[in-house]
Amino acid sequence: MPTRALRVPPIAGLAILVIAAVAAMVGALLYGGGAAPLLIADPGPVVRWGLPTATLAVNLSAAGMVGSLVLALFALRAGTRPFDTALDVASAAAAIFTVASATVAFLTFVNIFNATPSAGAEFGQQLGRFLVDTDVGRAWALTTIAGAGLTVLTFAVRGWTPTLFVTALAVASLVPMATQGHAGDEAGHNTAVVSLTLHIIGAAVWLGGVLLLVALRPRLDRDELADVLGRYSSIALAAFVVVALSGVARAVVGVVAWQNLLSPYGAILGVKVVALLAIGALGAAYRVRLIARIRTDATGPGARRFWGLIALELAFMGIASGAAVALARTPPPVDTKLPAVPSPAEVLTGAPLPPELTPLRWLTSWDIDVLWAFAVGFGVFFYLAGVWRLHRRGDRWPIYRTVLWLAGLALLFWVTSGSVNAYQDYLFSMHMVGHMLLSMAIPMMLVFGAPVTLASRAIAKRSDGTRGGREWILWGVHTPFARVITHPLFAAAMFIGSLWAFYYTDLFRWTLYDHLGHEWMVAHFLISGYLFVQSLVGIDPVPYRLPYPFRLLTLIGVMAMHAFFGISIMMSTGLFVAEWFGSMGRTWGEPPLVDQYAGGGIAWSIGEIPTLILAITVAIQWSRSDD
């Protein structure tokens, strides 16, 4: 039975969101001075008010685009009218996103250069140089181009796999936005940018999902609606955790001290926090009490109360969105920019040179990488939840797998957020320690955790044609691409070839200068190591594994190439990325060239230990197979 009698029509829901967002934005801008006239080179009221308004349109349309795509992938069935509606909503939102992004780019140019718009060639040339030669211009140009492409793609695709790739592109299109505002030029640049990126993506998934629910309401029968609501509530819970924790990390960079919460910036931040907490409370209320009533009574008091809470949630989401836009335009209470005369380390890394690395600081130094902290946290939670689910239904899961998985994630957290991360930009040897652990020690622990096997047993199988976590994981394992990258010879070639390609090309330089490159480096070495170990001794199923004798031969070849790589570094007479490691201004520790020699020794000696353990493991498995 279609649920036409339910309240909150799509247009009304959108109106509630927009009105609340605009009201919160205007009030916060007036209170915080974000739209106040400048004493010098004031761009005028059109730019001062138009820029935050266009930014708000970008944020809301991005939510409609990304949230609709994510909910379609995890809650709807391809080829049905609701799935097509979700993609239509995403396409319309992408079109608004494109126009709004172009407007922000234009108004940002006028605001920065105080240019007077005209049809003359000089104005067009200045605008073109802004979009090509400046970081902020390139960011908004890329965002606009991505939005235009997504407008077409979301309208054209209708299948599972194309929608998955379009969703990945939609999420990636939000990354350039995070480099703007206060986050791009602060001393804690990396933490601020990563936190804001996660915050924007989480908020988009959360808000966009609610908007799509309202749009889908007339097109779903009672049981379908209850299923979609339950699945969205799980997605929203994860998004709430991401938004809340990333918001805390971002606020720490901008506020610095508790007393700064009493400033206008702190007050606007407080409004946003209260709105987010209210949304979380509303979500918990209808998840625990009201979603189940939709299945039994789609038009009764419980259902009407549910949609009333949805309307209230949209209002709070609007308030949070408006406050977020005003926050980006409000001066922070403290100056978090780099000093006027930065040190060499601050010029290169955006942070002051840390103190000398001592044995104690190996354990006490921390530089949290927010992205990998989230990855570790979710990895721990979902793995333990799967083990607990198996335990509740009476199935057994070997304790050693759980211990190794948790140990691997703990080591991953230390490498990405502990002393290795704190010192790897300054010491080549410390960078090599992290590399060896990421590509060899951590993957060995994670592989023996058998996460794919656990997921296939613990996650409930869906029977209505939609895809949940289990279906997407098994789809990924059985794709032709997975067959290629999990082949033992390909995995071994990628594992050892990455060493040479990374350090003897400009890839290494890119990962030092660009934090996106650094995150790619961590992910690449972790994945390449995982695939190599999995192809040899993994518990999870793979399409093909070499016979045991050839596995040992492969390991011997990899060990030889790995040792030769370490020796080649030790024999180098020049520095890798000399303008970086040789210009850091470090007055403690070994000279850069001596430290690089130590890094080569680490790659040669310590890096061989996990490989030796792998060889022993292969021999034991071979013996058991013969038995």
Side-chain angles (χ1 to χ4, degrees):
M1 178 185 69
T3 55
R4 300 183 183 278
L6 296 181
R7 299 178 179 179
V8 194
I11 297 299
L14 182 61
I16 292 171
L17 175 69
V18 172
I19 292 173
V22 171
M25 181 193 69
V26 172
L29 287 173
L30 291 174
Y31 176 73
L38 300 179
L39 298 177
I40 301 176
D42 180 61
V46 173
V47 175
R48 285 188 279 107
W49 288 98
L51 187 55
T53 303
T55 303
L56 178 62
V58 170
N59 294 346
L60 295 181
S61 58
M65 175 178 66
V66 173
S68 297
L69 290 170
V70 171
L71 192 59
L73 287 175
F74 287 93
L76 303 174
R77 185 171 71 251
T80 61
R81 187 181 177 190
F83 190 91
D84 292 343
T85 299
L87 293 177
D88 291 340
V89 170
S91 182
I96 300 172
F97 178 77
T98 304
V99 175
S101 298
T103 304
V104 170
F106 179 80
L107 294 178
T108 300
F109 165 69
V110 175
N111 182 54
I112 293 176
F113 294 95
N114 198 27
T116 302
S118 68
E122 183 179 357
F123 180 82
Q125 293 172 356
Q126 291 177 341
L127 178 59
R129 287 195 296 270
F130 166 74
L131 295 175
V132 174
D133 296 337
T134 65
D135 291 338
V136 62
R138 284 193 295 267
W140 283 112
L142 287 173
T143 303
T144 304
I145 294 171
L150 287 166
T151 303
V152 177
L153 291 174
T154 48
F155 181 78
V157 304
R158 285 298 183 267
W160 284 119
T161 304
T163 303
L164 176 65
F165 288 112
V166 170
T167 304
L169 178 60
V171 172
S173 70
L174 305 185
V175 175
M177 297 167 51
T179 64
Q180 310 312 310
H182 303 309
D185 55 1
E186 290 177 325
H189 170 81
N190 293 338
T191 299
V193 169
V194 173
S195 299
L196 189 55
T197 300
L198 294 173
H199 195 74
I200 290 173
I201 294 173
V205 173
W206 192 5
L207 171 56
V210 175
L211 289 174
L212 183 61
L213 283 178
V214 176
L216 290 177
R217 178 189 56 80
R219 294 173 173 82
L220 297 172
D221 62 29
R222 183 173 59 191
D223 291 335
E224 289 175 332
L225 181 61
D227 290 336
V228 172
L229 289 174
R231 292 161 187 168
Y232 166 73
S233 67
S234 298
I235 296 172
L237 178 60
F240 174 77
V241 173
V242 172
V243 169
L245 296 182
S246 62
V248 170
R250 177 66 187 91
V252 168
V253 176
V255 176
V256 179
W258 287 105
Q259 59 268 24
N260 294 327
L261 292 175
L262 301 178
S263 65
Y265 185 93
I268 298 173
L269 178 63
V271 170
K272 181 182 175 183
V273 169
V274 171
L276 291 177
L277 291 177
I279 299 169
L282 291 173
Y286 66 66
R287 178 183 175 89
V288 173
R289 298 183 179 181
L290 298 179
I291 289 180
R293 300 184 186 181
I294 299 293
R295 196 181 300 275
T296 56
D297 187 4
T299 59
R304 289 193 293 270
R305 189 179 307 142
F306 171 81
W307 291 105
L309 290 179
I310 288 290
L312 189 59
E313 185 174 8
L314 285 171
F316 279 116
M317 284 183 168
I319 293 173
S321 300
V325 171
L327 206 61
R329 301 283 299 173
T330 304
V334 292
D335 185 6
T336 58
K337 294 185 178 180
L338 293 172
V341 183
S343 66
E346 288 172 329
V347 170
L348 292 170
T349 68
L353 186 72
E356 182 177 3
L357 179 60
T358 62
L360 180 61
R361 290 196 175 101
W362 276 85
L363 301 175
T364 59
S365 296
W366 296 94
D367 183 11
I368 305 297
D369 188 320
V370 179
L371 176 62
W372 291 101
F374 271 107
V376 169
F378 279 114
V380 170
F381 173 79
F382 285 117
Y383 194 93
L384 293 180
V387 173
W388 176 247
R389 180 172 292 183
L390 290 182
H391 174 74
R392 288 184 61 185
R393 74 183 188 205
D395 292 341
R396 296 190 60 184
W397 184 254
I399 187 65
Y400 80 89
R401 295 184 186 177
T402 304
V403 172
L404 286 172
W405 177 264
L406 296 179
L409 290 181
L411 187 57
L412 176 61
F413 179 73
W414 180 72
V415 169
T416 56
S417 297
S419 56
V420 174
N421 193 45
Y423 283 88
Q424 67 177 352
D425 282 342
Y426 312 95
L427 296 170
F428 181 88
S429 59
M430 203 64 159
H431 169 87
M432 191 58 69
V433 169
H435 182 169
M436 293 300 103
L437 293 177
L438 282 170
S439 62
M440 307 188 77
I442 297 172
M444 194 162 52
M445 297 179 186
L446 297 182
V447 163
F448 286 116
V452 174
T453 301
L454 176 63
S456 64
R457 293 178 58 186
I459 303 176
K461 181 180 179 180
R462 293 189 183 180
S463 58
D464 59 354
T466 62
R467 290 185 179 181
R470 181 180 187 275
E471 286 74 20
W472 279 113
I473 290 172
L474 295 181
W475 170 86
V477 169
H478 294 98
T479 57
F481 178 73
R483 293 175 183 272
V484 173
I485 64 174
T486 57
H487 192 280
L489 298 181
F490 180 90
M494 182 171 64
F495 176 77
I496 201 65
S498 297
L499 291 174
W500 298 90
F502 179 77
Y503 287 98
Y504 287 94
T505 66
D506 280 339
L507 282 174
F508 188 23
R509 178 174 282 103
W510 173 52
T511 62
L512 294 172
Y513 282 95
D514 191 334
H515 191 64
L516 178 63
H518 171 76
E519 301 292 5
W520 169 86
M521 176 196 71
V522 175
H524 174 77
F525 286 135
L526 185 64
I527 293 172
S528 62
Y530 185 94
L531 292 175
F532 176 63
V533 177
Q534 172 68 18
S535 68
L536 294 174
V537 296
I539 299 169
D540 290 330
V542 293
Y544 176 75
R545 281 195 175 95
L546 292 171
Y548 285 105
F550 291 103
R551 296 188 204 181
L552 285 177
L553 289 175
T554 301
L555 268 174
I556 292 172
V558 168
M559 290 177 68
M561 293 294 294
H562 204 283
F564 183 57
F565 166 75
I567 293 173
S568 70
I569 293 179
M570 297 173 69
M571 295 177 63
S572 296
T573 57
L575 280 176
F576 288 94
V577 197
E579 79 278 9
W580 182 277
F581 290 105
S583 304
M584 197 61 66
R586 180 167 54 83
T587 58
W588 46 261
E590 298 290 348
L593 195 58
V594 176
D595 179 70
Q596 180 175 293
Y597 181 87
I602 290 170
W604 177 31
S605 57
I606 299 178
E608 297 300 326
I609 296 175
T611 311
L612 180 61
I613 296 175
L614 278 178
I616 296 173
T617 304
V618 171
I620 293 174
Q621 290 182 344
W622 188 2
S623 174
R624 290 179 177 177
S625 176
D626 288 343
D627 291 340

